[in-house]
Amino acid sequence: MCGLLHPQQGEVEVQGQKISALNGPALDRFRGEQFGIVFQQSHFIQSLSVMENLAIPHFLLGGKFPTSKAKELLGNLGIAHKAHAKPRALSVGEQQRASIARALIHQPSIVLADEPTSALDDASTAAVIGLLEDQCAEAGAALIVVTHDQRLKTRYSNRVELNPGTPQAS
Amino acid sequence: MSWIYLAWRNLGLKKLQTTLSLILLAFGVGMVSLLMLSEKQLSDTFDRNIQDIDLVLGAKGSPLQLILANVYHVDAPTGNIRLVDAQKVIRHPYIEEGIPLAYGDNYRGFRIVGSTAAYLDHYNAALQAGRRIEAPFEVVIGRKVAETTGLKVGDTFFSAHGLQDETDVHTDKTFTVVGMLAESQSVIDQLLHCTIETIWAVHDGHGETVDESDREITAVLLKKRNPLAVLTIPNVIRDSNMQVALPAIEINRLTQNFGIGLNTLRSIALIIMLISFASIFISVYDNLIARKYELALLRTMGSGPSGVFLLLLLEGGLLSFGGAALGLVLSRVGLLVLAELVQDKFRYDWSSIGLLPNEWAIFGVAIFVGLIAAAIPGISALKIDISRTLSEK
């Protein structure tokens, strides 16, 4: 959906832009602007601190990095004290929260979360998904969660379940 | 945040690998540049001193020794020649000018050379203090001599027999410093200048009169009027104890003999440089594999493929720039050390350390090849499949 893979058939349209028609740098840029992505496993630029990692979207897309907003975001996510630590020094849960902060920092219109809770225990799952929902609501971004985690399914009214057959809306 | 900052931090993450690449490149570039510098200094020193000396006339022996002794004053002379014989050559129509030299004494290791005013004129010597030589036992000293011995205008001293040691001092003859030369960057900086008569007087016994036809000198520096002099003069002096040598040819021979060693060193330096480029290549490529996720991540956050390519290029560029710059610094340090050693032995001053045109070329080539070494993995970074990379693991 965010243009990492090209559709074999049909079209993908996001915010009125047919992204299946975009290519290369334009697609990278569109994706960067419109989407915040939380991956199943958190990836960071290992040589940079958490704070510097948060600054990357603004650097890549242009625009001034809102330092105070980044601090606030990290504070809301409970990892303000790790702002200047290297990503490697964070626990899995903290890394996941840091990647949520990074997905939101540039105010994307859509946040994509790919199995955000698969590596987490019940308590952390509740905390992370809660934060994800709160932060998206605050930023006014749509949240799309891809998961096979039973713990999450009941939380959402809009679900697309992919079965080996055809997708069914429920 | 900028691409350079990111590249810098990425290099910092792999300190050992980065340091290895830097050291290798620094040594490669440093050695090549040191060779260039010392060759340049050597040939400059040789050229400055040869200037317009076409032939050197002296006693039979090694022609190279004759040149080294009389043009550069770094070797012992081949012997003495009779002034009357030398004058036949000086007055030969094919010879424009002959500068006679007579020496055999030293003051604290510096040679006292008797000659005519033409000798100092030949090297465009300028007086820094005092006046020129007007009478026997008056001495004008070169800049280097003044600096090392502390002699000043008005000082007096005794000479020692021989060219090196100071054991046999002629305490009966007093020299007086009447002038000091400005620095000329040539051999005259390292000599004490007086008249030929002074040298004769030092060695004459007391009250003894020497027949003019028995007067001896050490050598004559000749400037030719006609190119045929090179062929004719050897015939003129065939039956004497004299020989002529061509400075240009002897020095050429000398540097060619040096050249074999220099070429070996040069090859070693080039091999070190090649290894360092391989090291940069491996370093960037290694980073590419280890950081495939990071690069894919940058792409998902809005960097185009060109940004990722630029990042890798910058990493290679910073490495090669740093290494090459370090190498040039290293070669300067090396030259200064070498200059100290050479100065002790040959009393030649190698101090100019400006960047040679060839060094700019080496610098440019090093950075260029470093960029190429980074561009190869960079191209494969362009082809990263973001989706597949991120879903691996």
Side-chain angles (χ1 to χ4, degrees):
Chain A
M1 188 179 355
C2 58
L4 290 177
L5 290 173
H6 266 270
Q8 288 171 318
Q9 292 178 343
E11 288 176 341
V12 180
E13 195 173 305
V14 176
Q15 298 283 74
Q17 169 72 48
K18 286 197 179 71
I19 63 171
S20 42
L22 289 174
N23 250 321
L27 178 57
D28 282 342
R29 188 174 177 83
F30 181 79
R31 180 193 317 121
E33 280 170 354
Q34 300 297 329
F35 288 92
I37 306 178
V38 181
F39 295 98
Q40 181 172 10
Q41 268 158 335
S42 311
H43 300 298
F44 294 95
I45 308 294
Q46 295 294 346
S47 60
L48 300 179
S49 71
V50 170
M51 199 56 150
E52 287 170 327
N53 264 286
L54 288 191
I56 297 243
H58 280 90
F59 156 59
L60 292 175
L61 300 167
K64 194 172 153 35
F65 175 57
T67 315
S68 57
K69 191 183 154 205
K71 280 185 187 147
E72 190 191 322
L73 210 48
L74 288 178
N76 289 344
L77 289 161
I79 48 171
H81 59 293
K82 298 279 187 180
H84 299 292
K86 289 280 168 67
R88 229 181 263 276
L90 271 60
S91 72
V92 175
E94 287 169 335
Q95 287 188 13
Q96 197 63 293
R97 280 179 272 168
S99 67
I100 291 172
R102 187 184 54 202
L104 289 164
I105 186 72
H106 59 296
Q107 295 181 298
S109 49
I110 301 163
V111 173
L112 271 182
D114 178 15
E115 301 279 9
T117 57
S118 63
L120 305 177
D121 60 30
D122 286 355
S124 303
T125 298
V128 163
I129 203 73
L131 284 169
L132 203 47
E133 287 167 4
D134 292 348
Q135 297 301 323
C136 286
E138 204 168 297
L143 173 64
I144 298 173
V145 180
V146 178
T147 189
H148 62 262
D149 192 337
Q150 290 299 335
R151 297 171 293 191
L152 300 183
K153 285 189 179 171
T154 51
R155 296 177 76 102
Y156 303 109
S157 50
N158 293 328
R159 289 204 305 255
V160 177
E161 290 193 21
L162 297 177
N163 291 320
T166 49
Q168 295 167 355
S170 62
Chain B
M1 182 74 56
S2 67
W3 287 116
I4 289 222
Y5 177 73
L6 200 50
W8 176 258
R9 292 296 295 263
N10 283 339
L11 290 176
L13 197 64
K14 299 229 163 190
K15 285 193 184 67
L16 288 178
Q17 179 81 57
T18 302
T19 312
L20 178 67
S21 302
L22 282 178
I23 290 176
L24 281 172
L25 190 55
F27 267 88
V29 170
M31 265 179 86
V32 172
S33 128
L34 183 59
L35 288 173
M36 287 176 170
L37 280 174
S38 45
E39 270 179 278
K40 167 103 170 82
Q41 296 280 2
L42 206 58
S43 67
D44 274 4
T45 308
F46 281 143
D47 291 348
R48 237 190 335 260
N49 288 319
I50 292 181
Q51 289 202 10
D52 287 328
I53 303 170
D54 300 315
L55 292 160
V56 177
L57 177 73
K60 280 209 169 88
S62 151
L64 179 59
Q65 187 188 349
L66 182 67
I67 302 298
L68 290 177
N70 295 299
V71 180
Y72 302 103
H73 292 277
V74 291
D75 206 345
T78 46
N80 287 341
I81 55 176
R82 294 196 322 150
L83 182 62
V84 280
D85 293 340
Q87 266 161 354
K88 276 183 212 148
V89 177
I90 296 173
R91 292 189 190 123
H92 194 277
Y94 286 172
I95 295 300
E96 184 178 323
E97 187 187 21
I99 304 168
L101 299 178
Y103 52 92
D105 283 16
N106 78 89
Y107 175 67
R108 291 176 56 182
F110 291 100
R111 291 185 182 185
I112 301 170
V113 175
S115 185
T116 59
Y119 188 49
L120 292 181
D121 292 342
H122 181 81
Y123 288 105
N124 299 318
L127 276 172
Q128 191 174 26
R131 56 172 175 81
R132 304 197 69 146
I133 307 156
E134 285 164 7
F137 290 98
E138 286 185 351
V139 169
V140 165
I141 57 175
R143 182 84 202 123
K144 191 79 205 167
V145 179
E147 275 170 15
T148 310
T149 63
L151 280 178
K152 296 181 301 292
V153 174
D155 287 356
T156 57
F157 64 91
F158 300 122
S159 69
H161 191 66
L163 299 174
Q164 300 291 335
D165 62 302
E166 296 167 51
T167 46
D168 183 11
V169 179
H170 298 284
T171 49
D172 51 338
K173 308 279 167 51
T174 310
F175 289 80
T176 307
V177 180
V178 297
M180 190 169 77
L181 298 175
E183 187 169 3
S184 73
Q185 286 283 347
S186 65
V187 68
I188 58 167
D189 291 353
Q190 297 148 18
L191 302 174
L192 297 100
H193 305 272
C194 62
T195 59
I196 290 186
E197 291 73 21
T198 311
I199 302 293
W200 288 334
V202 172
H203 296 99
D204 288 349
H206 288 283
E208 189 182 327
T209 46
V210 179
D211 184 17
E212 279 308 309
S213 66
D214 288 338
R215 286 294 186 197
E216 287 188 323
I217 56 171
T218 315
V220 184
L221 308 178
L222 297 172
K223 193 174 167 185
K224 61 179 189 268
R225 171 173 291 145
N226 185 322
L228 285 176
V230 177
L231 299 172
T232 317
I233 300 300
N235 278 325
V236 174
I237 60 172
R238 198 170 40 202
D239 296 328
S240 69
N241 73 330
M242 300 189 293
Q243 65 164 344
V244 281
L246 283 77
I249 286 180
E250 296 305 324
I251 292 311
N252 216 350
R253 188 143 51 195
L254 184 67
T255 46
Q256 263 168 10
N257 290 340
F258 266 137
I260 299 166
L262 286 177
N263 279 336
T264 314
L265 283 177
R266 208 174 288 138
S267 321
I268 295 172
L270 283 176
I271 290 170
I272 293 179
M273 271 175 82
L274 281 181
I275 295 173
S276 71
F277 291 133
S279 157
I280 290 178
F281 175 80
I282 291 169
S283 164
V284 174
Y285 200 79
D286 197 40
N287 274 352
L288 173 72
I289 293 167
R291 296 185 297 126
K292 221 157 75 173
Y293 293 98
E294 295 190 6
L295 299 179
L297 187 69
L298 286 171
R299 293 284 304 277
T300 67
M301 291 193 290
S303 151
S306 56
V308 170
F309 183 68
L310 180 70
L311 179 64
L312 292 178
L313 221 54
L314 278 172
E315 287 178 18
L318 278 177
L319 268 183
S320 49
F321 178 84
L326 218 59
L328 293 182
V329 171
L330 213 62
S331 68
R332 260 76 198 156
V333 175
L335 188 74
L336 288 179
V337 172
L338 210 63
E340 280 298 309
L341 295 176
V342 170
Q343 214 170 355
D344 275 356
K345 208 169 180 86
F346 293 119
R347 287 172 276 122
Y348 275 112
D349 195 13
W350 288 0
S351 50
S352 81
I353 51 170
L355 219 51
L356 305 173
N358 278 344
E359 286 187 295
W360 281 110
I362 282 283
F363 194 61
V365 166
I367 290 172
F368 180 73
V369 180
L371 288 177
I372 297 288
I376 297 166
I379 286 169
S380 57
L382 287 177
K383 296 182 193 142
I384 285 182
D385 183 329
I386 310 173
S387 160
R388 189 166 301 155
T389 303
L390 288 173
S391 58
E392 273 173 16
K393 217 180 204 175

